Amino acid sequence: MKFPLMRNNILREDLDAVIEYLKRDDPILTHGANVRAFEAEWSQWLGVKYSVFVNSGASANLLTWLYCAFGIRRAGKSSFPLLRGFPTWPQCCKMDSRPVFADIDPRTLAMDTARILAKIGDRTRAVFLTHVQGFDGLTDDLLHELDRRNIPLIEDVCESHGATHNGRKLGAYGWISNFSFYYAHHMSTIEGGMVCTDDAEAYQQLRMLRSHGMVREADDPLVRTAYQRANPELNPDFIFAFAAYNCRNTEIGGIMGRSQLKRLDRNVKRRNANLLRFLKQIDPNKYRTDFKLEGAELRLNLILKQAG
Ligand SMILES: Cc1ncc(COP(=O)(O)O)c(C=O)c1O
């Protein structure tokens, strides 16, 4: 039996929403009101204060590195070790940071808590944990220890939308968390990603970093005013606070995201049910089947109950 690696999960209703928008007189196509609305709806779904919609999951990770690197430079340091799983460590090296790797727990495919804690040193500035293929990579021990040692957690949730730890969504635990909306993932904006945080300062800086480092992209007037006062000789519309990139998405991505978000919870349940169905058919003597599934099991039982 052959299963394709991925299928297009964009439905007619998503395309119709885009077409309806395109029929308007003079529709804005670049980043605009739909992007803002998608960011607000996504933040509410995830349970965080702020989200920044970008053009890929890799861009979400890139902006996070960039923000960290900026913070480090401000603190006068040239490099900092991050504990890291796959797959964006080349970006981290480019930022003059030194990643330190920790091996995984085969039951979650995420970095193993004991191995992370063993590698944390004086110069560790953050732990960057990737939740792989829908599994929950967090443990209470890890959260407790990072909190106790005051080390920020960055979560890459690009493959694990809707997965939970203790009933709370992954991506709501980290200081910053990143998602991808590439078309093989749980929902798609064609290409796209989201950087999420509760940190108001990080949010303002990430907004600027997404758009060439431009100060006018900050939506807090106090932040804009501070840069304008410090640079009175410059046109306020063209102050560049950092050397950054263009990682913006478009209104089409925003419309697709808003349309797809309505189906996300349903799709996550279906993926969990499929996984459990597969695992029950697989011979545990030949293949690994002892994954950490607590959240998924609970959700499947609920689905089966609802189905009668
Ligand atoms: C864990 C993880 N992080 C980041 C990415 C990058 O996302 P994108 O393909 O949207 O750039 C992926 C890609 O699928 C991924 O699986």
Side-chain angles (χ1 to χ4, degrees):
M1 207 188 286
K2 278 194 175 166
F3 292 96
L5 175 63
M6 57 184 84
R7 277 219 186 104
N8 201 357
N9 64 0
I10 293 170
L11 297 189
R12 186 72 250 166
E13 66 198 61
D14 307 323
L15 298 174
D16 286 344
V18 172
I19 290 166
E20 272 315 301
Y21 183 75
L22 294 178
K23 281 188 195 157
R24 287 186 190 178
D25 288 339
D26 200 18
I28 302 270
L29 294 182
T30 189
H31 165 122
N34 277 291
V35 168
R36 292 304 294 255
F38 178 39
E39 290 171 337
E41 288 160 18
W42 180 264
S43 296
Q44 195 177 18
W45 175 84
L46 182 61
V48 297
K49 288 189 187 150
Y50 311 108
S51 295
V52 177
F53 186 36
V54 292
N55 53 10
S56 72
S59 294
N61 284 338
L62 177 72
L63 293 192
T64 302
W65 293 127
L66 208 54
Y67 177 61
C68 290
F70 165 69
I72 299 312
R73 235 165 261 142
R74 226 173 23 174
K77 297 199 173 82
S78 62
S79 73
F80 70 122
L82 284 121
L83 283 164
R84 179 73 185 107
F86 120 110
T88 54
W89 58 269
Q91 297 172 345
C92 164
C93 295
K94 272 192 166 171
M95 303 297 159
D96 213 10
S97 307
R98 190 168 65 83
V100 175
F101 296 91
D103 210 345
I104 60 157
D105 172 353
R107 290 194 64 228
T108 64
L109 308 177
M111 290 193 300
D112 175 64
T113 293
R115 290 178 170 121
I116 295 175
L117 297 179
K119 291 208 173 172
I120 287 178
D122 293 351
R123 301 182 65 239
T124 303
R125 294 290 177 270
V127 168
F128 195 123
L129 185 127
T130 300
H131 300 288
V132 182
Q133 295 186 0
F135 294 113
D136 165 18
L138 295 178
T139 63
D140 292 343
D141 275 358
L142 178 67
L143 291 169
H144 173 75
E145 275 303 309
L146 294 184
D147 192 42
R148 193 178 69 78
R149 301 178 194 202
N150 205 15
I151 294 178
L153 171 70
I154 300 170
E155 296 179 83
D156 178 334
V157 202
C158 288
E159 296 181 7
S160 302
H161 315 54
T164 56
H165 178 76
N166 293 339
R168 185 173 171 210
K169 288 192 180 95
L170 303 183
Y173 283 90
W175 165 53
I176 296 179
S177 63
N178 298 332
F179 288 81
S180 163
F181 305 127
Y182 175 60
Y183 105 129
H185 290 164
H186 303 55
M187 60 173 271
S188 173
T189 57
I190 312 173
E191 299 286 348
M194 200 70 95
V195 191
C196 311
T197 186
D198 279 337
D199 179 333
E201 187 198 321
Y203 171 62
Q204 295 301 325
Q205 310 264 338
L206 287 162
R207 286 185 60 84
M208 292 188 255
L209 288 168
R210 168 176 63 180
S211 293
H212 310 288
M214 278 194 289
V215 166
R216 68 172 192 233
E217 293 292 326
D219 69 358
D220 180 346
L222 291 175
V223 173
R224 290 197 302 267
T225 309
Y227 280 101
Q228 286 158 13
R229 289 221 175 103
N231 301 278
E233 72 289 6
L234 298 180
N235 178 337
D237 281 340
F238 293 97
I239 301 176
F240 293 83
F242 324 96
Y245 302 97
N246 176 0
C247 298
R248 291 186 296 254
N249 209 302
T250 66
E251 283 295 270
I252 297 195
I255 293 166
M256 301 275 282
R258 297 181 73 190
S259 176
Q260 292 242 336
L261 183 53
K262 294 182 192 137
R263 299 196 300 274
L264 179 57
D265 289 333
R266 213 181 327 142
N267 283 347
V268 170
K269 279 183 193 156
R270 196 177 295 165
R271 277 175 177 253
N272 284 336
N274 284 341
L275 171 68
L276 294 173
R277 214 164 279 142
F278 278 122
L279 287 178
K280 279 179 186 151
Q281 310 295 324
I282 287 172
D283 180 352
N285 297 314
K286 286 193 186 158
Y287 302 101
R288 176 174 286 283
T289 55
D290 62 339
F291 295 106
K292 182 181 156 196
L293 292 173
E294 285 81 2
E297 285 281 6
L298 275 176
R299 266 174 275 149
L300 180 68
N301 288 338
L302 204 72
I303 300 165
L304 293 176
K305 227 188 236 169
Q306 281 165 356

